[in-house]
Amino acid sequence: MSIPRYTLPEMGDLWTDRYKYQTWLQVEIAVCEAQAELGYIPAEAVEEIKAKANFEPERILEIEAEVRHDVIAFLTNVNEYVGDAGRYIHLGMTSSDMLDTALALQLVASTNVLLQRLEDTIQAIRYQAQQHRHTVMVGRSHGIHAEPITFGFKLAGWLAEMLRHRDRLVAVRQAVAVGKISGAVGTYANLDPRIEALACQKLGLEPDMASTQVISRDRHAEFVQALALVAASLERFSVEIRNLQRTDVLEVEEYFSKGQKGSSAMPHKRNPIRSERLSGLARVIRGNAVAALENVALWHERDISHSSVERMILPDSCTVLHFMLHETTELVKHLLVYPENMLRNMNLYGGVIFSQRVLLTLVGKGVSREDAYAIVQSCAHSAWNQPNGDFRKLITQDPRVAQHLTPEEVDECFDPKYHLRNLDQVYQRLNI
């Protein structure tokens, strides 16, 4: 189970033993109600069960230590409260009828909480994208300066990604909102299929289309993979922040609170600890996605090799992603942005990032692409990594360029607005 350090209450509460047993009881009562409505058990017995049914987690563990079966221990404890009417509880059912249906309730509840946190993250990113819509910076490919963008445009990409994740979580919530009350190998030998339909309806679930003794684990694998995808995006954002916070770049920086310490040895340090933490936790959920995929291949109608795995990966994946979303929201909301450093970096070596604009302008004046490329590359490489390297100066003074471009046309080549003129289309798509 996730350690308290990475567990926030609203998600942690959904994965306690008490909450789990409560969902177990919820399923058992829903089945009893369905049985009574169809005339299989007395209605007064169900009312007695509902009035008296209770459990005590410590007592369940005590019984389990002897019987070595958690469901039997749970049912034994419930019947200690209910008495004779308890004989109608779990009638005709197998353990997985209750376990898998109750697990679906936990997964749906967890997804609802994740969606709430995801919405917070979306709003934090949207706000910063609005604030920095016109904050010009250099775009990078392969880690090397490429051409101008804005920081808001970078954030727009993050926003689009998170909106897709919202859709994925909504879809996967439906995929796991499935119950089964179909008996030992799914054949309804001792249960009327109508019982399953009624019970699932009461629980807000859909009956599984074709269960064995369990609900097939492709659904659960899909769920964990959806969570791993969200975590992968959060890591992508955190890696970007870490790169932009490097001392030699310093275009953005994690908020550093009063009294915070960066290093036990070096007082000057302001480390991107939140971003690094996000990268580490994303690895945990990705690993869980592999385990979830391996749970799909069970023997015949079922074995329990998936059970021990799910006891760890499902609570951990939900809890850790919930924490990651909270951390990302706080990180983005309080991010320190340094536009002056962005401009400084963009204009390194005399604005070599405007090389393509010079190239295309020369081509537009009738110079062959090969010749234009040779001219521009020669000037760019002469400026690159030189203490006083100045690409713009070299371009302006090159007679081969002067033959074709006026000083005003050269100036236009170094105007970042040219590269940003179509970004409004992206912002409009995202309502930024």
Side-chain angles (χ1 to χ4, degrees):
M1 294 287 288
S2 293
I3 62 174
R5 185 183 185 94
Y6 306 124
T7 303
L8 299 174
E10 57 265 46
M11 181 62 79
D13 289 349
L14 298 179
W15 292 98
T16 61
D17 281 346
R18 180 167 293 279
Y19 187 88
K20 177 182 70 175
Y21 295 139
Q22 190 59 51
T23 61
W24 289 11
L25 186 57
Q26 192 178 347
V27 171
E28 293 288 357
I29 288 175
V31 173
C32 286
E33 289 176 332
Q35 297 249 38
E37 287 178 30
L38 294 170
Y40 287 103
I41 65 175
E44 56 272 19
V46 177
E47 293 308 311
E48 187 175 353
I49 290 167
K50 289 164 68 175
K52 295 182 177 179
N54 207 342
F55 59 85
E56 183 52 53
E58 291 77 13
R59 174 60 178 151
I60 294 170
L61 293 176
E62 180 184 314
I63 299 168
E64 186 183 356
E66 177 185 349
V67 302
R68 302 183 67 81
H69 194 294
D70 55 353
V71 174
I72 292 174
F74 167 77
L75 294 170
T76 300
N77 182 222
V78 171
N79 281 326
E80 287 175 341
Y81 288 93
V82 174
D84 184 59
R87 62 198 172 97
Y88 296 112
I89 299 174
H90 206 70
L91 193 65
M93 294 170 62
T94 190
S95 296
S96 292
D97 288 331
M98 181 265 282
L99 291 173
D100 279 6
T101 306
L103 179 58
L105 297 176
Q106 277 187 294
L107 295 179
V108 169
S110 296
T111 308
N112 288 337
V113 173
L114 288 173
L115 282 165
Q116 291 168 6
R117 281 290 180 186
L118 183 71
E119 198 60 42
D120 293 340
T121 307
I122 286 171
Q123 294 311 316
I125 295 172
R126 185 185 297 279
Y127 175 79
Q128 289 287 30
Q130 290 168 335
Q131 295 298 109
H132 295 284
R133 179 171 177 159
H134 303 295
T135 303
V136 183
M137 66 182 297
V138 66
R140 297 169 171 89
S141 57
H142 304 276
I144 309 300
H145 285 197
E147 291 187 336
I149 61 171
T150 70
F151 188 54
F153 175 66
K154 185 186 291 287
L155 291 167
W158 298 10
L159 176 60
E161 206 161 323
M162 296 310 287
L163 292 173
R164 290 193 294 275
H165 288 311
R166 183 171 66 186
D167 291 342
R168 290 183 181 114
L169 286 182
V170 169
V172 84
R173 178 177 61 187
Q174 183 176 353
V176 296
V178 168
K180 64 123 346 197
I181 311 294
S182 55
V185 288
T187 60
Y188 302 97
N190 298 301
L191 289 160
D192 184 332
R194 294 178 299 165
I195 295 171
E196 179 183 69
L198 273 172
C200 285
Q201 183 183 45
K202 293 174 184 295
L203 297 167
L205 305 174
E206 289 292 324
D208 195 13
M209 292 181 70
S211 59
T212 60
Q213 191 174 96
V214 295
I215 292 171
S216 295
R217 259 41 201 176
D218 64 291
R219 294 181 185 274
H220 306 77
E222 181 185 4
F223 177 81
V224 182
Q225 286 180 86
L227 270 54
L229 268 174
V230 182
S233 289
L234 300 184
E235 182 184 17
R236 182 172 90 84
F237 308 158
S238 70
V239 167
E240 183 68 16
I241 290 169
R242 289 164 60 192
N243 272 316
L244 295 179
Q245 185 168 335
R246 292 192 338 247
T247 306
D248 49 338
V249 177
L250 201 55
E251 294 178 357
V252 305
E253 189 176 30
E254 288 189 15
Y255 178 74
F256 200 83
S257 62
K258 184 178 180 181
Q260 184 175 339
K261 303 292 190 293
S263 165
S264 62
M266 298 168 283
H268 72 278
K269 296 279 277 179
R270 291 163 66 106
N271 300 326
I273 56 170
R274 257 187 164 143
S275 300
E276 291 171 339
R277 185 183 300 131
L278 288 166
S279 286
L281 292 176
R283 298 168 191 167
V284 174
I285 303 181
R286 276 199 298 276
N288 289 349
V290 173
L293 286 168
E294 292 179 344
N295 274 351
V296 174
L298 303 179
W299 285 18
H300 304 299
E301 277 57 59
R302 164 256 179 153
D303 62 58
I304 63 163
S305 60
H306 66 290
S307 176
S308 55
V309 182
E310 288 177 357
R311 289 173 192 265
M312 291 185 283
I313 68 170
L314 293 179
D316 280 4
S317 297
C318 293
T319 303
V320 168
L321 182 61
H322 182 250
F323 178 82
M324 289 179 70
L325 287 166
H326 169 76
E327 286 289 284
T328 302
T329 301
E330 293 301 304
L331 175 58
V332 171
K333 191 185 296 184
H334 302 293
L335 191 66
L336 303 176
V337 181
Y338 303 125
E340 63 281 4
N341 290 352
M342 291 176 175
L343 287 175
R344 178 200 67 201
N345 292 337
M346 186 177 72
N347 291 309
L348 280 175
Y349 309 126
V352 291
I353 65 168
F354 297 99
S355 67
Q356 180 177 202
R357 181 72 180 122
V358 178
L359 166 67
L360 294 177
T361 303
L362 285 171
V363 171
K365 292 291 186 174
V367 182
S368 74
R369 183 177 178 85
E370 290 74 17
D371 289 345
Y373 197 103
I375 294 168
V376 175
Q377 186 181 52
S378 172
C379 292
H381 286 185
S382 295
W384 188 265
N385 201 31
Q386 298 302 313
N388 298 308
D390 192 332
F391 173 67
R392 183 170 184 166
K393 182 178 179 182
L394 292 173
I395 284 292
T396 302
Q397 295 176 349
D398 193 304
R400 298 169 295 178
V401 175
Q403 257 185 294
H404 301 281
L405 303 182
T406 67
E408 292 76 20
E409 288 172 327
V410 171
D411 287 344
E412 287 177 12
C413 291
F414 288 83
D415 186 351
K417 291 190 181 73
Y418 172 85
H419 296 268
L420 313 177
R421 68 193 193 284
N422 291 318
L423 292 187
D424 279 349
Q425 293 189 40
V426 176
Y427 300 139
Q428 286 166 11
R429 291 174 199 153
L430 292 164
N431 193 30
I432 294 174

